[in-house]
Amino acid sequence: MSLAAVYEIINQAKAAELKTQNYAKWLRQQLDSLHRVIELNGSQPVEDLIHFVIDYIELAPRLVECVAYCAAASRTEKLFAPFVEKTIHYFAHPSVLVLRHTGLDCLLIMAYQSHRLVEEVYENNRSLRNSPICDLQATQANLLAHHLIGEPFANELDQATHLTVRQMVSLPDFYHLDLSPFLAKTNTKRWRPLNEDWLNLLDKHHIRMSFQPRC
């Protein structure tokens, strides 16, 4: 499956949601039971959440496109190709457990798998840890998606991601690889909007993750 096909799947799900409002209805039912660290500061919390979910989903193929392009430009294609293939595989061949979900709910799970795999790859390399993808705001977006997917399923996805990374790279050797040429390509003008979208994803939708104890 190509990235164009992934975008088409996303567009079809968005169109279906526009007609049915199924995911929006589900989100409205969850507002009172959201984790206490999630603060919805906008006047339309359901709309903010669903727009966050859509943007989060759409960022997945954009991120894959960035990784593939920058790997080619930095001559690290062989290293990153398995991860690019795996992230596309999440959309092309979802597991039976994922297929139990439908619409945006299903795509959120696929996107979460994709984002978490990239996050794990970056976290497990010394030079890549300096990327905006590993910024606190970006990792909090994954945390919010984790909460929306729900436990224990999201925890199972995390465990599968850990295993996948360890099957694809040799740790701790991978940690010490100098991938700064690849990272430099991701920070160019072409990909700056992607980095900014990651960093502003929560603020854009009036969402805050607060880890301070509440009285």
Side-chain angles (χ1 to χ4, degrees), residues 36-93:
R36 63 181 180 276
V37 303
I38 303 171
E39 294 184 4
L40 305 176
N41 300 315
S43 60
Q44 298 178 308
V46 173
E47 286 76 6
D48 288 338
L49 275 176
I50 198 161
H51 289 147
F52 161 82
V53 168
I54 291 172
D55 282 354
Y56 181 86
I57 291 169
E58 291 182 328
L59 276 168
R62 289 178 62 194
L63 188 57
V64 174
E65 182 181 4
C66 173
V67 170
Y69 179 91
C70 295
S74 61
R75 299 182 179 180
T76 54
E77 287 175 288
K78 290 184 178 180
L79 179 64
F80 285 98
F83 298 103
V84 171
E85 292 171 3
K86 185 65 175 179
T87 51
I88 295 177
H89 181 87
Y90 288 138
F91 288 89
H93 305 288

Side-chain angles (χ1 to χ4, degrees), residues 192-207:
R192 197 167 298 135
L194 173 61
N195 292 330
E196 292 175 354
D197 286 345
W198 253 121
L199 295 177
N200 298 318
L201 187 55
L202 293 182
D203 288 342
K204 176 183 177 182
H205 301 297
H206 315 290
I207 301 171

